[in-house]
Amino acid sequence: MANENQAKKKPIVPIVVAVVVVVAAIAAFMAASGGGDSGSTSQQEVTAAKKEQVLVPDVSYQTREEAEKMLKEAGLTLGKVTEKNTKEVPEGFVIDQSPSKSAAAEKGSAVNIVLAKGLNKVTVPDLRGKTPDEAEKMLFDAFIIPVVGKPVYDDAVEPGLVCVQSVKAGDKVKPLTEVSYATSLGKENVSVPEVKGKHIDEARKTLEKAGLAVETTSSYSDTVGKDRVINQSVAKDTKVAKGSVVSLEVSLGKKPVERVKVPNIVTYSRGEAIRALESAGFAWEWDGDEDGRVVRVNPGVGVEVQPGSVVHFTLKREQKVQEGTRTETATPDPEPEPTPSPDPTPNPTPDSTPDPTPDPTPDPTPEPSPDSDSEDEDEDEGEDDKMTLTEEDCERIIWEHGLGEFVTAIKQEIDGEEFWEVETKDTEGESHWYSIDKDGNVEVSNG
C-alpha cells in the first residue's frame, strides 16, 4: 500500500522543478537588462496620450482670438485660418470650422477655421416695446453688445418695456458696437397746481407748464368774475400721471335776467286769457265783467318782463273787441227837434201910420232832383272813408287796450287809406308802435 502511494507522488516533482527553472530564467533576464524598466514605462505613457480624445468646441461667430482661446481650453490648437466673402456674418467672425463642433479629436490636434470677409456694418434693431430679454437677444444676434441703462419715465410705453435706445433703429454700426437701452417707468407723476380764481388763459398756461392737459366747461356765477376759474376737477397738490386732463369750470359772469313778452290776450275770454298767460309762465289777476272780453292788459301787450310776473287784465262786456281791435258801438243820431209854427200875421190897422215896407218874399227852395240826391250820397260815402279819429281818440284806444303809456300819434296815408301811427312806452321805458285805422282797429307796427 505504501509502495502504491509513492508511485503516485513521483510525477509531481519534475513539474515543480520546471516552474522554478522558468522563474529563475526570467529573473536572470531582468537582472541582466538593468535599468530597462523606466524606459519601458515612458513609452507606454506616450502611446496612451496619443490615443486620448476630446470634444471640439463650437467656435462659430467668434473672433479669431476668441476661437483660439476656446480651442486651447479644450486641449486643442488653432490650425489653418482662411477667409470667405459673405454678407450674412460680420467681417472677422468664424463662419466655419474643421473638425466641426462636438466632433471627437485627439488631444493637442489642430482645428481649422474660416473667417467671414466683406460685411463691415450691421443694422441696429428696433428695441422699443420689447422686454429686456428680447432686446438683449436681438442685439446679440445683430453682433452688437447690449448695455442696460437706467429706467426712465415714458408716457407712451408700458412700465418694464424698452422705451429708448442710444442708437436709432435702422442705423448701421460696426460689429461689436455697444448700444444701450432703457426700460420705461410709465407716466411720470406731477403735482396739480391751484388755479381757482385765475383767468382762464393764465390757468391754462400754469397747468400745461406742469405737464397737464386742460378742458373747460362754462356756467354763470354771481361771485366769480367772467372768464375766471370757478372750480377745478383735481384738487391742488394731488399727484397724477403726467399728461392727465384737468377740467376747469369757467365763469360766464352773472346770469342775465330772463325776460319774456306779455302775450296779446286782448279780446280773449277770461278762461282763454288765463290759459294763455299760464302757458307763457305768467301769474295773473283780473277785474271787470267775468263774462266779458279782455279790453286792457297791464303790463301792455309785447312788454318784456321777468317770467312769473303778474299780468293784470280787465274784462268788459259793453265793448266788442276782436283780434286786438276795438269797434265803437254806434251812437244813435239825435232825434230832430220839432219846427215851431209861425205866429199868425196880424191884419194891419188903418191909421195915420204909414204902411211898413213889405219884407221880400223868399224864393221857394227848389226841390232836389234825383241826380242831386245821388251826388250827395257819393259825397257822404267819400266822407265816410276819411279819418275821423282824433289824437285824443288814439290815446283812449291805447289805454283801453292796455298797450302802455301814450306818447304821440302821427297821421299817415298809404294808397289813399289814412291811419294813425302811435308810439307808446312800456313800464321799462321801451318804445312800441301801433297802427290805428279809421275804424279804431289796432295792429302792431314797426314804427
Side-chain angles (χ1 to χ4, degrees), residues 339-347 359:
T339 304
S341 302
D343 294 333
T345 304
N347 294 326
D359 294 330

Side-chain angles (χ1 to χ4, degrees), residues 305-326:
V305 295
Q306 295 183 19
S309 298
V310 177
V311 175
H312 184 98
F313 59 91
T314 301
L315 299 165
K316 286 188 179 181
R317 72 168 68 93
E318 289 83 1
Q319 295 176 335
K320 183 179 180 183
V321 186
Q322 295 181 346
E323 301 298 331
T325 65
R326 176 180 180 277

Side-chain angles (χ1 to χ4, degrees), residues 2-21:
N3 291 332
E4 290 178 1
N5 290 335
Q6 291 177 354
K8 290 180 181 179
K9 292 179 181 179
K10 285 182 181 179
I12 295 173
V13 174
I15 295 173
V16 174
V17 173
V19 171
V20 171
V21 172

Side-chain angles (χ1 to χ4, degrees), residues 138-188:
M138 292 173 68
L139 291 174
F140 275 133
D141 290 345
F143 300 95
I144 297 173
I145 300 174
V147 178
V148 180
K150 184 179 179 180
V152 296
Y153 290 105
D154 191 282
D155 296 342
V157 179
E158 295 181 9
L161 301 181
V162 175
C163 62
V164 64
Q165 58 191 81
S166 61
V167 181
K168 186 172 65 176
D171 284 358
K172 301 289 186 179
V173 297
K174 292 182 177 181
L176 301 183
T177 297
E178 290 185 351
V179 172
S180 61
Y181 61 88
T183 56
S184 171
L185 290 173
K187 291 185 177 181
E188 181 181 1

Side-chain angles (χ1 to χ4, degrees), residues 248-263:
L248 302 180
E249 183 183 4
V250 182
S251 174
L252 293 172
K254 292 185 177 181
K255 187 175 182 179
V257 178
E258 184 181 0
R259 293 187 174 275
V260 292
K261 290 184 177 181
V262 175

Side-chain angles (χ1 to χ4, degrees), residues 190-196 200 203-217 229 231-250:
V190 296
S191 181
V192 178
E194 172 73 273
V195 294
K196 288 175 62 175
I200 178 58
R204 187 185 299 276
K205 290 179 181 178
T206 300
L207 291 171
E208 289 178 348
K209 185 177 181 180
L212 300 168
V214 179
E215 66 179 15
T216 61
T217 59
V229 177
N231 204 356
Q232 59 188 81
S233 61
V234 185
K236 68 174 183 177
D237 299 331
T238 302
K239 295 291 185 180
V240 297
K242 188 176 182 179
S244 297
V245 176
V246 177
S247 179
L248 302 180
E249 183 183 4
V250 182

